[in-house]
Amino acid sequence: MGLSWNKMQSNYNSRYYNHRDYVRGLNNYGVTCCINALLQSFSATPELLELLDKYNPAQTEPNDVPMELKNTLCAMRKEQKHHSPHRNFLDCLHRHSIHRYIQHDADEIFHSILNLTQKQMTDKDLAEEIRKLYEIKVETQVMCKECGHIQKTPNSLYSLPLAIREGDNTLESCVQSYIQQQPLRSGNECYCDWCMKKQPTTHQLKLVSLPSVLCIHLKRFRNYGTTRKLHNRVTFPETLHMNTFNGQSENAKEYYSLYAVIVHIGSAFSGHYTAYIRHSLDQKWFYADDSNVQQATWEHVQETYKGGKTAYLLLYRKMSENASG
Ligand SMILES: [Zn+2]
């Protein structure tokens, strides 16, 4: 029994990585650690590299985010060692109001980069493929407790925003809470189209479909008047089974494999971003702290479960077992 990914992987690798030193450090140009960490995760996503490589418009507008992203990710794979392949990309984002010398939120910047790519890409089919690569489809279901009528509202997301409870959490328990049925508070009733009046309702989120690249956002920043960071323990596995959450059979031979972790170090007011990246070539973990890159282990990654240095975004890749091997 083998993984269908293996064949794809060797194709990607021969095309995109031709030397061992494949995780490139990135200089910090004024609180750009957040963007640097995200670039490391994009660079470890050959599915995205392959799509961006097809982006060759006759002409682009100035400050074209997808073109600068493509050029940066391409330069990060080149042999020559320089730590500033992302200068133009940073300048480009700066002109789109993602400024340097400002603390950014990695989830917001992740969304901004993908949204700007969608908006600016002239090749709309390609933009659609990039959207699909990350798109999580969810449905809000509001059920009337009187008549049982369910009102469904579809929505799509680039990252799954998971709340963290006080105490210890597992990633699976956070997903479970996210989709759990919630009664709306009394006095907060919803209009039922069937009963034609306001009725008590329950509220539930349903995962309709999950993408090839699943980004999970651990909501560690909470606003209590002032923003506070939750340092609570959240364990997450290297191999994640999502079948039970989206109503698929438990026997479905699909699972997710962790390949990047965006880490936030510090507090809500003063922080730094780094990234753990697992390279598809030999499955080894690397730790990228701006220009400093070192090899790491799964045990190092697990140290980001709690405390001051915590996992903030998790990137999982869908894998499927191939029965024919
Ligand atoms: Zn009703």
Side-chain angles (χ1 to χ4, degrees), residues 93-161:
L93 291 183
H94 187 80
R95 288 185 214 108
H96 287 287
S97 302
I98 300 171
H99 300 297
R100 293 179 197 172
Y101 303 102
I102 290 176
Q103 295 266 344
H104 291 294
D105 179 281
D107 184 62
E108 277 175 33
I109 301 300
F110 178 73
H111 278 78
S112 299
I113 292 171
L114 290 176
N115 285 329
L116 284 163
T117 299
Q118 289 302 304
K119 198 171 140 196
Q120 293 187 311
M121 224 176 203
T122 43
D123 183 338
K124 290 301 165 198
D125 291 341
L126 203 52
E128 170 82 3
E129 283 192 65
I130 292 175
R131 186 174 60 75
K132 277 188 191 158
L133 182 64
Y134 291 96
E135 186 183 38
I136 304 161
K137 287 187 180 167
V138 298
E139 196 172 75
T140 306
Q141 300 189 342
V142 176
M143 188 180 78
C144 170
K145 288 182 90 171
E146 290 301 318
C147 74
H149 175 71
I150 298 172
Q151 202 162 306
K152 298 175 179 177
T153 313
N155 197 3
S156 70
L157 314 162
Y158 283 136
S159 67
L160 201 60

Side-chain angles (χ1 to χ4, degrees), residues 236-260:
F236 50 86
E238 261 188 309
T239 302
L240 175 66
H241 293 271
M242 290 293 289
N243 328 8
T244 43
F245 301 117
N246 62 356
Q248 282 184 14
S249 146
E250 283 194 42
N251 297 324
K253 292 193 184 310
E254 257 179 16
Y255 60 95
Y256 281 86
S257 179
L258 184 68
Y259 75 94

Side-chain angles (χ1 to χ4, degrees), residues 4 11 43 45 158 160 164 222 246 270 297 307 314 316 318:
S4 60
N11 288 341
S43 183
T45 311
Y158 283 136
L160 201 60
I164 297 171
R222 197 178 288 173
N246 62 356
S270 166
T297 62
L314 305 170
Y316 282 91
K318 192 189 269 182

Side-chain angles (χ1 to χ4, degrees), residues 66-105:
M67 186 49 80
E68 291 302 341
L69 180 62
K70 172 189 168 168
N71 293 340
T72 299
L73 296 177
C74 187
M76 284 171 74
R77 312 198 289 265
K78 291 249 168 72
E79 297 262 358
Q80 65 263 35
K81 282 198 174 191
H82 62 104
H83 288 165
S84 52
H86 58 320
R87 274 308 282 264
N88 290 344
F89 184 62
L90 296 174
D91 288 343
C92 177
L93 291 183
H94 187 80
R95 288 185 214 108
H96 287 287
S97 302
I98 300 171
H99 300 297
R100 293 179 197 172
Y101 303 102
I102 290 176
Q103 295 266 344
H104 291 294
D105 179 281

